[in-house]
Amino acid sequence: MRHPLSLLEQRHSAPSRQLGEPGPAGDELLALLGAAIRVPDHGKLVPYRLILLQGESKRIFGERLAALSLRVNPDLPESKREKDRTRYEFAPLVVAVVAHLDPDSKVPVIEQKLSAGCVAYNLLLGAQALGYGAQWLTGWAAYDRDAAGVLGLADNEQVIGFVHIGTPQLDVPDRDRPALADVLRTWTP
């Protein structure tokens, strides 16, 4: 019998450049997305949005980001321009997880961002549960307002991360993890 926590114990990221077809689609994709949004949400604000990048839209998004980075840094080496241009093309699905923030809410903005972050993490767990690999990446585009404009984000929205999902093309070894004893303490008064 499988240990109830085995999914969490085995969770690891698969590098986005090693993710290929197939990826979740159709009803399976809808089920994954529906499960991913079952997150803590203080105040029922729904402080997150999902934007799917699939097919040709991934290439176009990368091209627009490469043009933005070149405008900001005209001396950008070709290798970095190429990386910006192609970084979204490997995995068959990239989900931009967006924090939709209400700064006037009684719920602190950090809690709203954490809720959106939980959506990104649920995508990682859900993809793994379905047999896919996934990686949560940010990069400069997650923090850049012009890149946010390419995605059509409002002023009160920001990218929490780009979750790349697909089938690992290589076995990905797990990385070293901290020992629990190194990060755990019990508070006593």
Side-chain angles (χ1 to χ4, degrees):
M1 182 173 156
R2 210 170 102 168
H3 187 278
L5 295 177
S6 64
L7 179 68
L8 294 175
E9 293 169 342
Q10 295 170 16
R11 200 222 66 80
H12 68 278
S13 294
S16 64
R17 291 179 177 268
Q18 295 178 4
L19 296 173
E21 295 287 353
D27 290 342
E28 183 179 53
L29 174 58
L30 293 177
L32 172 60
L33 298 173
I37 63 171
R38 294 184 58 90
V39 296
D41 178 5
H42 184 189
K44 299 179 185 173
L45 298 177
V46 190
Y48 46 80
R49 302 286 179 263
L50 302 174
I51 299 172
L52 303 183
L53 300 171
Q54 299 172 294
E56 189 69 4
S57 68
K58 296 181 305 174
R59 183 190 59 76
I60 294 168
F61 183 65
E63 286 177 357
R64 291 186 182 173
L65 291 184
L68 279 178
S69 64
L70 189 58
R71 193 170 22 174
V72 171
N73 183 1
D75 298 325
L76 193 67
E78 177 57 34
S79 61
K80 293 201 179 211
R81 283 188 294 217
E82 183 66 14
K83 186 175 182 181
D84 280 342
R85 193 171 25 257
T86 62
R87 78 174 62 229
Y88 302 94
E89 292 184 23
F90 300 95
L93 172 66
V94 179
V95 182
V97 179
V98 175
H100 178 80
L101 306 171
D102 180 355
D104 298 323
S105 172
K106 66 178 178 148
V107 177
V109 167
I110 186 66
E111 290 187 27
Q112 297 176 51
K113 288 181 183 180
L114 288 169
S115 184
C118 287
V119 172
Y121 188 62
N122 274 357
L123 284 169
L124 295 178
L125 290 175
Q128 184 170 326
L130 293 171
Y132 298 105
Q135 187 175 30
W136 174 354
L137 298 172
T138 51
W140 68 268
Y143 307 105
D144 185 89
R145 287 314 303 169
D146 290 331
V150 171
L151 287 170
L153 303 188
D155 289 342
N156 66 325
E157 295 180 319
Q158 69 182 76
V159 173
I160 292 296
F162 297 96
V163 180
H164 300 244
I165 304 171
T167 299
Q169 303 300 298
L170 301 169
D171 286 335
V172 180
D174 199 9
R175 66 173 175 84
D176 291 336
R177 303 292 174 165
L180 182 59
D182 292 343
V183 298
L184 176 68
R185 74 179 181 102
T186 301
W187 182 83
T188 55

